[in-house]
Amino acid sequence: MADIRPDTMERITDHELAKKFIDEQVEMVKEQVGEKKVLLALSGGVDSSVVAALLLKAIGSQLVCVHVNNGLMRKGEPEMVVKIFKEELHANLIYVDATDRFLDKLEGVADPETKRKIIGNEFIEVFAEEASKLEGIEFLAQGTIYPDITESGGVKAHHNVGGLPEDLQFELVEPVRLLYKDEVRAVGKELGLPDTMVYRQPFPGPGLGVRCTGAITRDRLEALREADAIVREEIGKMEKTPWQYFCVVPDFKSTGVKEGKRYMGWPVIIRAVDTVDAVTAEATELPWDLLKTMRDKIIANVPGVNRVLWDISDKPVSTIEWE
Ligand code: XMP
Protein backbone atom coordinates (compact mmCIF):
# COMPACT_ATOMS: atom_id res chain seq x y z
CA MET A 1 0.00 0.00 0.00
CA ALA A 2 1.32 3.40 -0.94
CA ASP A 3 2.22 5.53 2.02
CA ILE A 4 2.21 8.81 0.16
CA ARG A 5 -0.90 10.88 0.29
CA PRO A 6 -2.08 11.36 -3.29
CA ASP A 7 -2.57 14.95 -4.45
CA THR A 8 -6.10 14.02 -5.43
CA MET A 9 -7.04 13.02 -1.89
CA GLU A 10 -9.61 15.45 -0.57
CA ARG A 11 -8.99 17.05 2.81
CA ILE A 12 -11.62 15.85 5.30
CA THR A 13 -13.17 19.10 6.41
CA ASP A 14 -16.80 18.27 7.10
CA HIS A 15 -19.06 15.51 8.21
CA GLU A 16 -20.01 14.36 4.68
CA LEU A 17 -16.36 13.82 3.81
CA ALA A 18 -15.73 12.08 7.15
CA LYS A 19 -18.65 9.76 6.48
CA LYS A 20 -17.38 8.99 2.98
CA PHE A 21 -13.92 8.20 4.37
CA ILE A 22 -15.39 5.91 7.02
CA ASP A 23 -17.51 4.01 4.50
CA GLU A 24 -14.52 3.49 2.22
CA GLN A 25 -12.26 2.37 5.04
CA VAL A 26 -14.85 -0.02 6.43
CA GLU A 27 -14.94 -1.77 3.05
CA MET A 28 -11.15 -1.78 2.71
CA VAL A 29 -10.61 -3.18 6.19
CA LYS A 30 -13.22 -5.89 5.63
CA GLU A 31 -11.46 -6.86 2.43
CA GLN A 32 -8.00 -6.84 4.00
CA VAL A 33 -8.94 -8.77 7.12
CA GLY A 34 -11.66 -11.16 5.98
CA GLU A 35 -12.68 -13.43 8.85
CA LYS A 36 -9.38 -13.03 10.72
CA LYS A 37 -8.69 -11.35 14.05
CA VAL A 38 -6.99 -7.98 14.59
CA LEU A 39 -5.12 -6.83 17.69
CA LEU A 40 -4.94 -3.17 18.74
CA ALA A 41 -3.08 -1.45 21.55
CA LEU A 42 -5.69 1.04 22.70
CA SER A 43 -4.00 3.80 24.70
CA GLY A 44 -7.00 6.12 24.90
CA GLY A 45 -5.27 8.74 22.76
CA VAL A 46 -7.10 10.22 19.78
CA ASP A 47 -5.42 8.11 17.09
CA SER A 48 -5.80 4.66 18.62
CA SER A 49 -9.34 5.47 19.80
CA VAL A 50 -10.43 6.49 16.31
CA VAL A 51 -8.87 3.35 14.83
CA ALA A 52 -10.67 1.23 17.45
CA ALA A 53 -14.04 2.83 16.66
CA LEU A 54 -13.48 2.47 12.92
CA LEU A 55 -12.48 -1.18 13.19
CA LEU A 56 -15.39 -1.93 15.48
CA LYS A 57 -17.67 -0.64 12.77
CA ALA A 58 -15.89 -2.73 10.14
CA ILE A 59 -15.21 -6.03 11.87
CA GLY A 60 -16.87 -5.86 15.32
CA SER A 61 -15.83 -8.75 17.55
CA GLN A 62 -12.92 -9.75 15.30
CA LEU A 63 -11.13 -6.79 16.86
CA VAL A 64 -9.32 -7.41 20.15
CA CYS A 65 -8.22 -4.26 21.99
CA VAL A 66 -5.64 -4.29 24.76
CA HIS A 67 -5.54 -1.34 27.14
CA VAL A 68 -2.48 -1.30 29.38
CA ASN A 69 -2.84 0.87 32.46
CA ASN A 70 0.77 1.75 33.26
CA GLY A 71 -0.17 3.67 36.41
CA LEU A 72 0.97 6.89 34.73
CA MET A 73 -2.31 7.85 33.09
CA ARG A 74 -4.30 10.89 34.12
CA LYS A 75 -7.12 10.68 36.62
CA GLY A 76 -10.11 8.80 35.21
CA GLU A 77 -8.51 7.94 31.87
CA PRO A 78 -8.28 4.13 32.09
CA GLU A 79 -11.85 4.11 33.42
CA MET A 80 -12.99 6.23 30.47
CA VAL A 81 -11.42 3.85 27.95
CA VAL A 82 -13.19 0.90 29.58
CA LYS A 83 -16.49 2.75 29.84
CA ILE A 84 -16.58 3.91 26.23
CA PHE A 85 -15.14 0.91 24.46
CA LYS A 86 -16.27 -1.97 26.63
CA GLU A 87 -19.55 -0.78 28.07
CA GLU A 88 -20.85 1.51 25.34
CA LEU A 89 -19.33 0.18 22.13
CA HIS A 90 -19.16 -3.46 23.36
CA ALA A 91 -15.61 -3.92 22.15
CA ASN A 92 -13.65 -7.02 22.89
CA LEU A 93 -11.36 -5.20 25.34
CA ILE A 94 -8.67 -6.68 27.52
CA TYR A 95 -7.84 -4.32 30.39
CA VAL A 96 -4.47 -4.91 32.01
CA ASP A 97 -3.68 -3.11 35.25
CA ALA A 98 0.11 -3.13 35.11
CA THR A 99 0.56 -0.26 37.58
CA ASP A 100 2.69 -2.25 40.03
CA ARG A 101 4.92 -3.66 37.30
CA PHE A 102 5.70 -0.20 35.93
CA LEU A 103 6.13 1.52 39.28
CA ASP A 104 8.31 -1.29 40.66
CA LYS A 105 10.61 -1.07 37.62
CA LEU A 106 10.78 2.72 37.97
CA GLU A 107 11.58 2.70 41.66
CA GLY A 108 14.67 4.75 42.43
CA VAL A 109 15.24 5.70 38.76
CA ALA A 110 15.81 9.45 38.46
CA ASP A 111 17.23 9.91 34.94
CA PRO A 112 14.48 11.05 32.53
CA GLU A 113 15.69 9.13 29.49
CA THR A 114 16.13 5.94 31.52
CA LYS A 115 12.58 6.44 32.84
CA ARG A 116 11.31 6.80 29.25
CA LYS A 117 13.13 3.63 28.17
CA ILE A 118 11.78 1.63 31.09
CA ILE A 119 8.21 2.79 30.42
CA GLY A 120 8.52 2.02 26.68
CA ASN A 121 10.11 -1.39 27.18
CA GLU A 122 7.71 -2.44 29.90
CA PHE A 123 4.80 -1.56 27.65
CA ILE A 124 6.17 -3.78 24.89
CA GLU A 125 6.65 -6.64 27.35
CA VAL A 126 3.14 -6.39 28.79
CA PHE A 127 1.58 -6.06 25.34
CA ALA A 128 3.57 -9.00 23.93
CA GLU A 129 2.57 -11.14 26.92
CA GLU A 130 -1.09 -10.40 26.31
CA ALA A 131 -0.71 -11.03 22.57
CA SER A 132 0.90 -14.41 23.21
CA LYS A 133 -2.15 -15.52 25.23
CA LEU A 134 -4.43 -14.93 22.26
CA GLU A 135 -5.02 -17.33 19.43
CA GLY A 136 -5.62 -16.74 15.77
CA ILE A 137 -4.46 -13.12 15.58
CA GLU A 138 -3.03 -12.30 12.17
CA PHE A 139 -3.24 -8.51 12.03
CA LEU A 140 -2.01 -5.66 14.17
CA ALA A 141 -3.86 -2.34 13.94
CA GLN A 142 -2.01 0.89 14.67
CA GLY A 143 -3.04 4.51 14.98
CA THR A 144 -0.27 5.72 12.70
CA ILE A 145 -1.18 9.09 11.17
CA TYR A 146 0.35 10.95 8.22
CA PRO A 147 2.72 13.20 10.20
CA ASP A 148 4.12 10.04 11.88
CA ILE A 149 5.12 8.77 8.44
CA THR A 150 6.41 12.02 7.01
CA GLU A 151 8.18 13.20 10.17
CA SER A 152 9.82 10.01 11.39
CA GLY A 153 10.65 8.02 8.29
CA GLY A 154 7.79 5.59 8.70
CA VAL A 155 8.41 4.63 12.27
CA LYS A 156 6.04 5.75 14.96
CA ALA A 157 8.78 6.99 17.23
CA HIS A 158 8.44 9.01 20.42
CA HIS A 159 5.22 7.24 21.14
CA ASN A 160 3.86 4.96 23.80
CA VAL A 161 2.82 2.33 21.29
CA GLY A 162 5.96 2.71 19.20
CA GLY A 163 8.45 -0.04 18.53
CA LEU A 164 6.46 -3.21 18.98
CA PRO A 165 8.47 -6.41 19.36
CA GLU A 166 9.95 -7.61 16.11
CA ASP A 167 9.00 -11.22 16.71
CA LEU A 168 5.31 -10.36 16.64
CA GLN A 169 4.65 -11.41 13.06
CA PHE A 170 1.54 -9.49 12.15
CA GLU A 171 0.31 -7.77 9.04
CA LEU A 172 -0.44 -4.09 9.75
CA VAL A 173 -3.83 -2.41 9.54
CA GLU A 174 -3.43 1.36 9.56
CA PRO A 175 -6.67 2.94 8.35
CA VAL A 176 -5.85 6.55 9.30
CA ARG A 177 -2.24 6.53 8.09
CA LEU A 178 -2.89 9.15 5.38
CA LEU A 179 -4.78 11.56 7.62
CA TYR A 180 -3.68 14.71 9.40
CA LYS A 181 -4.62 15.18 13.03
CA ASP A 182 -7.61 17.46 12.37
CA GLU A 183 -8.97 14.88 9.92
CA VAL A 184 -8.57 12.09 12.47
CA ARG A 185 -10.60 14.22 14.88
CA ALA A 186 -13.31 14.81 12.23
CA VAL A 187 -13.52 11.06 11.65
CA GLY A 188 -13.67 10.42 15.41
CA LYS A 189 -16.53 12.86 15.81
CA GLU A 190 -18.39 11.26 12.92
CA LEU A 191 -17.91 7.86 14.57
CA GLY A 192 -19.60 9.24 17.68
CA LEU A 193 -16.63 9.36 20.05
CA PRO A 194 -17.02 11.90 22.89
CA ASP A 195 -15.33 15.31 22.68
CA THR A 196 -13.18 14.51 25.72
CA MET A 197 -11.53 11.83 23.61
CA VAL A 198 -11.59 13.51 20.19
CA TYR A 199 -10.23 16.86 21.41
CA ARG A 200 -7.92 15.41 24.05
CA GLN A 201 -4.86 17.59 24.44
CA PRO A 202 -1.48 16.04 23.59
CA PHE A 203 -0.24 13.74 26.32
CA PRO A 204 3.29 12.29 26.22
CA GLY A 205 3.76 8.53 25.87
CA PRO A 206 5.54 8.27 29.26
CA GLY A 207 2.52 10.04 30.76
CA LEU A 208 2.68 11.47 34.26
CA GLY A 209 6.04 9.70 34.62
CA VAL A 210 7.89 12.70 33.20
CA ARG A 211 5.86 15.17 35.25
CA CYS A 212 6.67 13.50 38.56
CA THR A 213 10.29 14.53 38.21
CA GLY A 214 13.26 12.48 39.36
CA ALA A 215 12.62 9.13 41.04
CA ILE A 216 8.85 8.57 41.12
CA THR A 217 7.21 7.79 44.44
CA ARG A 218 3.63 6.60 44.69
CA ASP A 219 2.49 9.34 47.06
CA ARG A 220 3.94 12.14 44.92
CA LEU A 221 2.48 10.54 41.78
CA GLU A 222 -0.95 10.51 43.42
CA ALA A 223 -0.55 14.17 44.40
CA LEU A 224 0.33 14.94 40.78
CA ARG A 225 -2.68 13.03 39.44
CA GLU A 226 -5.06 14.89 41.76
CA ALA A 227 -3.53 18.31 41.08
CA ASP A 228 -3.53 17.63 37.33
CA ALA A 229 -7.25 16.82 37.42
CA ILE A 230 -7.91 20.19 39.11
CA VAL A 231 -5.72 22.09 36.64
CA ARG A 232 -7.36 20.40 33.65
CA GLU A 233 -10.83 21.06 34.96
CA GLU A 234 -10.24 24.74 35.77
CA ILE A 235 -8.18 25.69 32.69
CA GLY A 236 -10.60 23.62 30.60
CA LYS A 237 -13.29 26.18 31.45
CA MET A 238 -11.44 28.94 29.55
CA GLU A 239 -13.17 30.12 26.40
CA LYS A 240 -10.12 29.30 24.35
CA THR A 241 -8.08 26.60 26.07
CA PRO A 242 -4.28 26.58 25.69
CA TRP A 243 -2.68 24.01 23.36
CA GLN A 244 -1.38 22.03 26.32
CA TYR A 245 -1.89 22.52 30.05
CA PHE A 246 -0.89 20.37 32.97
CA CYS A 247 1.17 20.45 36.13
CA VAL A 248 4.39 19.06 37.47
CA VAL A 249 5.23 17.92 40.99
CA PRO A 250 9.02 18.09 41.43
CA ASP A 251 11.06 15.95 43.78
CA PHE A 252 11.82 18.57 46.38
CA LYS A 253 9.93 20.11 49.27
CA SER A 254 9.65 23.54 50.80
CA THR A 255 8.49 24.83 54.16
CA GLY A 256 4.85 25.42 54.89
CA VAL A 257 2.92 26.30 58.02
CA LYS A 258 -0.29 24.73 59.29
CA GLU A 259 -1.98 25.29 62.65
CA GLY A 260 1.10 27.16 63.81
CA LYS A 261 3.47 24.31 62.94
CA ARG A 262 6.09 24.26 60.21
CA TYR A 263 6.07 21.30 57.84
CA MET A 264 7.61 20.31 54.52
CA GLY A 265 5.47 19.84 51.41
CA TRP A 266 5.77 19.58 47.60
CA PRO A 267 5.11 22.45 45.23
CA VAL A 268 2.72 22.05 42.28
CA ILE A 269 3.93 23.82 39.14
CA ILE A 270 1.26 24.88 36.67
CA ARG A 271 2.28 24.87 32.99
CA ALA A 272 0.14 26.09 30.07
CA VAL A 273 1.51 26.74 26.59
CA ASP A 274 0.42 27.73 23.13
CA THR A 275 2.22 26.50 20.06
CA VAL A 276 1.66 25.40 16.49
CA ASP A 277 4.13 22.55 16.24
CA ALA A 278 5.59 22.11 19.78
CA VAL A 279 9.01 23.10 18.42
CA THR A 280 8.66 26.57 19.89
CA ALA A 281 6.01 27.50 22.44
CA GLU A 282 4.81 30.46 24.43
CA ALA A 283 3.61 30.37 28.01
CA THR A 284 -0.13 31.13 28.01
CA GLU A 285 -1.17 34.22 29.95
CA LEU A 286 -3.60 32.77 32.47
CA PRO A 287 -6.06 35.08 34.27
CA TRP A 288 -5.09 35.85 37.86
CA ASP A 289 -8.49 34.74 39.20
CA LEU A 290 -8.10 31.39 37.50
CA LEU A 291 -4.64 30.96 39.02
CA LYS A 292 -6.00 31.76 42.49
CA THR A 293 -8.89 29.30 42.06
CA MET A 294 -6.45 26.54 41.11
CA ARG A 295 -4.15 27.45 44.01
CA ASP A 296 -6.99 27.23 46.52
CA LYS A 297 -8.39 23.98 45.17
CA ILE A 298 -4.99 22.32 45.01
CA ILE A 299 -4.02 23.38 48.54
CA ALA A 300 -7.40 22.30 49.92
CA ASN A 301 -7.57 18.95 48.14
CA VAL A 302 -4.13 17.55 47.43
CA PRO A 303 -2.36 15.92 50.36
CA GLY A 304 1.33 16.73 50.73
CA VAL A 305 1.26 19.97 48.73
CA ASN A 306 1.88 23.35 50.36
CA ARG A 307 2.84 25.67 47.50
CA VAL A 308 1.58 26.45 43.97
CA LEU A 309 3.81 27.95 41.28
CA TRP A 310 3.20 29.11 37.71
CA ASP A 311 5.80 28.38 35.04
CA ILE A 312 5.93 31.38 32.69
CA SER A 313 8.84 30.11 30.58
CA ASP A 314 8.77 30.03 26.79
CA LYS A 315 10.34 27.36 24.56
CA PRO A 316 13.17 27.92 23.87
CA VAL A 317 14.88 27.98 26.26
CA SER A 318 12.58 25.83 28.39
CA THR A 319 11.05 22.68 26.93
CA ILE A 320 7.31 22.19 27.40
CA GLU A 321 7.77 19.22 29.72
CA TRP A 322 10.07 19.41 32.71
CA GLU A 323 11.91 16.21 31.84
P1 XMP B 1 9.11 19.21 24.91
O1 XMP B 1 9.11 18.93 26.37
O2 XMP B 1 10.21 18.48 24.18
O3 XMP B 1 7.75 18.60 24.37
O4 XMP B 1 9.10 20.68 24.60
C1 XMP B 1 7.22 18.81 23.07
C2 XMP B 1 5.94 18.00 22.95
O5 XMP B 1 6.24 16.60 22.96
C3 XMP B 1 5.60 15.96 24.05
N1 XMP B 1 6.55 14.98 24.61
C4 XMP B 1 6.47 13.65 24.42
N2 XMP B 1 5.57 12.92 23.74
N3 XMP B 1 6.75 10.96 24.36
C5 XMP B 1 5.71 11.56 23.72
O6 XMP B 1 4.89 10.85 23.14
C6 XMP B 1 7.70 11.64 25.06
O7 XMP B 1 8.64 11.07 25.61
C7 XMP B 1 7.54 13.07 25.07
N4 XMP B 1 8.27 14.06 25.63
C8 XMP B 1 7.63 15.23 25.34
C9 XMP B 1 5.24 17.06 25.04
O8 XMP B 1 4.12 16.71 25.85
C10 XMP B 1 4.96 18.22 24.12
O9 XMP B 1 3.65 18.19 23.61
Side-chain angles (χ1 to χ4, degrees), residues 201 228-242 245 286-287 289-294 297:
Q201 56 164 315
D228 175 74
I230 294 169
V231 167
R232 279 191 295 135
E233 186 180 350
E234 294 306 321
I235 298 185
K237 292 176 187 165
M238 286 174 78
E239 206 166 308
K240 186 188 170 300
T241 52
Y245 49 100
L286 300 173
D289 281 347
L290 171 61
L291 287 164
K292 285 195 291 188
T293 303
M294 290 192 281
K297 289 201 170 173

Side-chain angles (χ1 to χ4, degrees), residues 41 123-124 127-128 140-142 160-168 170 172:
F123 172 82
I124 291 171
F127 187 72
L140 180 74
Q142 291 200 133
N160 48 344
V161 191
L164 288 166
E166 279 166 18
D167 56 346
L168 286 182
F170 296 127
L172 290 182

Side-chain angles (χ1 to χ4, degrees), residues 52-74:
L54 190 56
L55 294 191
L56 271 172
K57 198 173 162 74
I59 56 167
S61 60
Q62 286 163 255
L63 173 70
V64 182
C65 301
V66 177
H67 178 66
V68 177
N69 179 357
N70 59 9
L72 304 166
M73 314 272 289
R74 292 175 292 190

Side-chain angles (χ1 to χ4, degrees), residues 113 116 157-160 202-207 210-211 243-244 246 271 273 275 277-281 315 318-323:
E113 291 316 309
R116 278 191 171 79
H158 203 63
H159 188 260
N160 48 344
F203 187 56
V210 288
R211 297 177 181 170
W243 188 82
Q244 199 172 18
F246 57 89
R271 181 101 171 110
V273 295
T275 174
D277 52 12
V279 176
T280 61
K315 176 182 180 178
S318 313
T319 52
I320 296 174
E321 303 289 345
W322 269 52
E323 287 195 327

Side-chain angles (χ1 to χ4, degrees), residues 78 89 92 137 177-178 237 255:
L89 298 174
N92 206 341
I137 305 273
R177 74 189 179 289
L178 295 183
K237 292 176 187 165
T255 309

